[in-house]
Amino acid sequence: MSNENDDATQLGSIGRHMSKPQQPGNPQARPAFQAPSLPTHPQEQDGDEEGTVLSTHNATPSRPTRPTVPMAQPMQAQPTQSAPTQQPLPQSQSAPVMATRQFPQTTAPSVKPAQPAMASSMMSAPQADITEFHELFAQLVGNVSQVVVGKEQPIRQCATAMIVGGHILLEDNPGTGKTQLARGLANSIDMSFKRIQFTPDLLPSDVVGVTYYDQKNGEFEYREGPIFASIVLADEINRASPKTQSALLEVMEEQKVTVDGETHAVPQPFMVIATQNPIEQLGTYKLPEAQMDRFLIKTTIGYPSHDVSVNILKQVNVTDRASTVHAVLTGNDVLRMRAISETVRLDDAIIEYIVRLVEATRHNERIQVGSSMRGALALTRCARVWAASSNRGYVVPDDVKQLAVAVLAHRITLTAEATFAGSTPEQMIEQILNEVPSPTVGAAA
């Protein structure tokens, strides 16, 4: 008689449903099927729908009878427990669960004490803040689009860099609107703006400032350079000497300037927009890798389409489009949007995906120098801003894919063989995006 009960208990632990009726003469077999049932938590089902979805991964029975029971019970409890309570997730209120079955280390069952931390990480940004962010971001992009027509993607990237607090490198052919884009973005925000035309005879003191002796007062005084502005346009940055380019290293990373042993902070928010031409290399100095890594995003504008070109020619009398726009945001609005973007939720699967992308650049045989950790941080911060601009309080894999080339391409160095073969950093990042599996949006089965 005991052998039959043991067989029934083992079958119940494997996940068999009670489809066959029990024999009347064997009443003791019923507790073996009811004991390992998944405990219910009314307080989590009422107020935490996302926790109900995650219960299929992290929930453990309160009284396991055998070591194999906790591994089989979540699979049995999913159709009976989570299916009735799971509701359709709104686009901007609740974050979906990222199924990471291709990442074994992220799907390992966790212990019961780790559930409160998981529940707190599932909280996304409030809907009111995300809506406010989305509206302000749309106003900024729409205003700059009046200056550079038909180039929404690079405009969104520049606005993303400004909100994150990073810097932009615009590299494109002459006459594509690089300077107009930088001036249009500066005129759209009510902040200080200064322009520096980089030339071969430009000195570091012409950028960061100089300490001079005031004969009238009989003391040394510091005169600020044009770098002390919220938005600084470094036009044709590759035409200056390397020592002048190096004067921007400290201010771009630490947002402060040290002159004669004294440190001076720059205004906040602060952003450097640099431009350069990729075709004119005579009399220019290539930016070092250390300075390239300090740019958050490197992007291009490209030529306009046929219809846009026709409309521009119809407005041929408008010589300076950047001067026709007015400010739609203030510096406080930018800081407010930056604070909202910091509340956008990042799933563990998204973080794992970003790390795998960066690590793939370090182990590729055609890449000599891969992306640094600064690149992974930059991609993470930009993805949160990109998600909030799409009126979402959580990051999805498409946000990372749309920004990976602009954020990581200028941080890698190809081997000589790959360069001679005609490969470009942008093509290598696209290849890595196709090779590295991305998380799947939705509840994992």
Side-chain angles (χ1 to χ4, degrees):
M1 190 64 179
S2 59
N3 294 333
E4 296 178 356
N5 292 335
D6 294 340
D7 296 338
T9 305
Q10 293 178 358
L11 290 175
S13 62
I14 298 176
R16 306 291 185 182
H17 295 280
M18 298 175 58
S19 58
K20 296 181 179 181
Q22 300 294 332
Q23 298 179 0
N26 191 12
Q28 298 179 356
R30 181 176 299 274
F33 292 93
Q34 296 179 355
S37 61
L38 189 66
T40 58
H41 301 279
Q43 64 277 13
E44 295 181 358
Q45 295 178 358
D46 295 338
D48 189 6
E49 298 176 357
E50 299 164 350
T52 305
V53 180
L54 284 179
S55 64
T56 60
H57 294 279
N58 300 323
T60 56
S62 58
R63 292 181 299 172
T65 57
R66 295 181 183 275
T68 58
V69 172
M71 298 300 295
Q73 284 175 354
M75 301 301 295
Q76 181 181 358
Q78 183 179 358
T80 58
Q81 291 283 346
S82 60
T85 58
Q86 184 177 358
Q87 301 293 333
L89 299 177
Q91 182 181 7
S92 59
Q93 292 184 359
S94 302
V97 179
M98 304 299 172
T100 58
R101 304 185 65 176
Q102 62 272 24
F103 302 146
Q105 57 270 28
T106 60
T107 58
S110 58
V111 294
K112 187 69 174 179
Q115 289 182 357
M118 179 65 70
S120 62
S121 64
M122 285 298 297
M123 297 177 60
S124 58
Q127 173 62 18
D129 294 342
I130 296 300
T131 303
E132 177 186 0
F133 186 102
H134 174 69
E135 294 175 353
L136 295 177
F137 194 91
Q139 292 180 8
L140 178 60
V141 174
N143 199 52
V144 182
S145 297
Q146 301 176 12
V147 179
V148 184
V149 185
K151 299 297 179 181
E152 182 179 357
Q153 185 74 4
I155 294 175
R156 287 173 58 90
Q157 293 174 352
C158 293
T160 299
M162 171 175 290
I163 296 173
V164 173
H167 313 288
I168 283 286
L169 178 60
L170 298 176
E171 184 181 58
D172 212 331
N173 297 329
T176 54
K178 300 185 298 296
T179 305
Q180 287 291 317
L181 175 57
R183 294 181 61 242
L185 183 63
N187 294 338
S188 299
I189 303 178
D190 188 11
M191 297 186 302
S192 58
F193 169 72
K194 291 184 180 180
R195 183 179 185 272
I196 307 175
Q197 183 65 49
F198 279 71
T199 56
D201 59 346
L202 192 70
L203 298 177
S205 58
D206 299 331
V207 177
V208 299
V210 63
T211 301
Y212 71 99
Y213 181 74
D214 189 358
Q215 296 182 355
K216 182 177 180 180
N217 298 328
E219 58 184 7
F220 288 93
E221 293 185 3
Y222 173 69
R223 179 177 296 173
E224 296 181 350
I227 199 64
F228 286 88
S230 294
I231 301 178
V232 179
L233 172 59
D235 203 4
E236 301 288 345
I237 189 175
N238 57 336
R239 294 192 178 276
S241 61
K243 65 178 181 180
T244 305
Q245 296 175 359
S246 301
L248 297 175
L249 292 177
E250 180 185 9
V251 66
M252 291 178 63
E253 177 64 22
E254 304 177 15
Q255 299 189 358
K256 61 182 181 180
V257 175
T258 302
V259 179
D260 294 335
E262 295 184 3
T263 302
H264 309 273
V266 295
Q268 292 297 328
F270 175 75
M271 180 183 184
V272 174
I273 305 177
T275 64
Q276 67 177 7
N277 299 327
I279 58 175
E280 299 178 3
Q281 301 300 329
L282 184 61
T284 62
Y285 303 90
K286 183 180 179 181
L287 293 176
E289 287 75 8
Q291 189 165 2
M292 290 290 293
D293 196 40
R294 281 167 168 78
F295 284 101
L296 183 73
I297 290 178
K298 176 186 175 183
T299 185
T300 59
I301 300 178
Y303 294 110
S305 61
H306 175 76
D307 296 336
V308 173
S309 300
V310 172
N311 294 331
I312 292 176
L313 292 182
K314 291 181 180 180
Q315 304 174 7
V316 66
N317 294 330
V318 181
T319 57
D320 189 5
R321 289 179 171 271
S323 60
T324 60
V325 298
H326 61 279
V328 295
L329 298 181
T330 62
N332 293 330
D333 293 334
V334 175
L335 297 178
R336 166 66 177 165
M337 296 173 69
R338 184 180 303 177
I340 294 176
S341 66
E342 294 175 355
T343 63
V344 175
R345 180 185 169 270
L346 274 169
D347 193 84
D348 292 341
I350 297 295
I351 298 177
E352 179 76 16
Y353 180 52
I354 294 176
V355 173
R356 288 181 177 271
L357 289 177
V358 174
E359 289 179 347
T361 63
R362 304 171 186 170
H363 301 94
N364 195 297
E365 59 182 5
R366 291 189 291 178
I367 298 179
Q368 183 177 1
V369 180
S371 175
S372 63
M373 195 61 197
R374 185 186 288 137
L377 293 172
L379 185 56
T380 304
R381 293 165 181 164
C382 291
R384 294 192 301 186
V385 175
W386 202 265
S389 65
S390 302
N391 203 11
R392 278 184 283 101
Y394 52 89
V395 179
V396 297
D398 288 341
D399 299 331
V400 180
K401 294 180 181 179
Q402 295 177 7
L403 293 168
V405 176
V407 176
L408 299 179
H410 64 283
R411 304 177 190 271
I412 64 176
T413 303
L414 302 183
T415 60
E417 293 79 5
T419 304
F420 293 153
S423 300
T424 61
E426 290 77 12
Q427 294 176 354
M428 295 304 303
I429 298 299
E430 290 285 355
Q431 179 181 351
I432 291 175
L433 288 174
N434 295 330
E435 294 176 353
V436 177
S438 62
T440 304
V441 180

